[in-house]
Amino acid sequence: MAVVSIPMLSKHEQAKPVQDCISYASRETGVSEHTTALVMSYFLERLADEVSLGRVVRIPGFGLFAAKHYKGADVMAPRFSASRPFRLQVRHGAP
């Protein structure tokens, strides 16, 4: 079930950070912004599928995605744990 979709034409201010990421990736790889957004959407869709199956998805240098299970409930929620290099880059890049 496809639920992840990266909007490219959204005018909303909250869409600007992801659009900046897509533009950067597009420029660096020489691939169109549309193709970049499409690949990212498919990647994130599959990542969500893997986590929903109870698997841990580890991206070296970035972090891991897993499901958090709640005791006594038949519910789980996604969880992200940033890797040390990711945390350091954010810390050193923050104003």
Side-chain angles (χ1 to χ4, degrees):
M1 176 171 80
V3 293
V4 177
S5 178
I6 298 177
M8 280 301 300
L9 301 176
S10 176
K11 302 285 189 229
H12 198 280
E13 184 63 27
Q14 290 179 338
K16 187 170 178 3
V18 75
Q19 289 171 347
D20 290 347
C21 292
I22 290 168
S23 294
Y24 175 80
S26 175
R27 282 192 312 274
E28 291 296 310
T29 61
V31 177
S32 74
E33 288 187 7
H34 174 45
T35 300
T36 301
L38 191 62
V39 169
M40 288 175 62
S41 293
Y42 281 121
F43 172 81
L44 293 171
E45 179 183 320
R46 188 59 196 171
L47 186 141
D49 287 345
E50 290 295 318
V51 171
S52 71
L53 293 171
R55 298 183 181 129
V56 175
V57 178
R58 184 180 312 272
I59 302 172
F62 186 72
L64 63 85
F65 297 86
K68 177 179 174 140
H69 300 274
Y70 294 95
K71 290 183 181 179
D74 200 18
V75 176
M76 66 180 186
R79 179 176 66 99
F80 171 69
S81 178
S83 70
R84 186 168 188 266
F86 182 82
R87 290 191 317 265
L88 289 173
Q89 181 173 347
V90 170
R91 182 179 303 142
H92 294 302

